[in-house]
Amino acid sequence: QVNVVESGGGSVQAGGSLTLSCAVSDDITNVHCMGWFRQAPGKEREGVAAIYVGQSTYYSDSVKGRFTIALDNARDRVALQMNDVKPEDTAMYYCATECRWAVPGSWLLKSSEYKSWGQGTQVTVSS
């Protein structure tokens, strides 16, 4: 199992920006998929953004146009750039890898399709 570590969370005002980072213990070139998920208190974990390396990116409707997922080969990590954040973006954000299937698709936004997870990083957006 791959170790996953998120960083970059914090407090930000609505309309601001924040960048989350996800590092994995495996060689990043061996990773073919990664996803960002979030969970607010009392709510289910939801997929936010995912990347099938070299091919496709996927976003939930709630963040499309505001968040960007990108692979940083030089730093062996995946970043989630969050722009124009809103109070409803407040949640614990998790990074995941080791997905079930070796083909790209919107299934990458489903938490059940990932094997390795980080401990999460908190994002709080104030109005």
Side-chain angles (χ1 to χ4, degrees):
Q1 189 165 349
V2 176
N3 288 327
V4 181
V5 180
E6 305 94 337
S7 61
S11 297
V12 60
Q13 289 191 329
S17 298
L18 201 63
T19 301
L20 305 184
S21 186
C22 175
V24 298
S25 58
D26 197 5
D27 184 342
I28 197 70
T29 59
N30 293 331
V31 174
H32 67 277
C33 64
M34 295 192 78
W36 280 99
F37 296 80
R38 66 186 181 188
Q39 188 166 18
K43 295 188 177 182
E44 293 186 356
R45 188 170 296 188
E46 64 168 335
V48 174
I51 183 168
Y52 197 88
V53 178
Q55 296 197 39
S56 310
T57 55
Y58 303 87
Y59 299 93
S60 66
D61 290 341
S62 61
V63 307
K64 196 172 296 182
R66 300 188 297 122
F67 291 11
T68 302
I69 186 171
L71 179 66
D72 185 345
N73 280 319
R75 297 184 177 183
D76 287 345
R77 56 192 64 206
V78 171
L80 182 69
Q81 177 66 43
M82 306 167 62
N83 295 327
D84 189 25
V85 295
K86 304 176 180 180
E88 50 264 42
D89 293 323
T90 295
M92 184 71 78
Y93 282 72
Y94 299 90
C95 181
T97 190
E98 292 199 288
C99 50
R100 185 187 304 270
W101 309 109
V103 291
S106 58
W107 59 267
L108 283 161
L109 292 174
K110 296 181 180 179
S111 60
S112 59
E113 305 298 344
Y114 291 83
K115 178 181 178 181
S116 297
W117 291 81
Q119 294 299 308
T121 185
Q122 177 68 37
V123 172
T124 302
V125 182
S126 58
S127 57

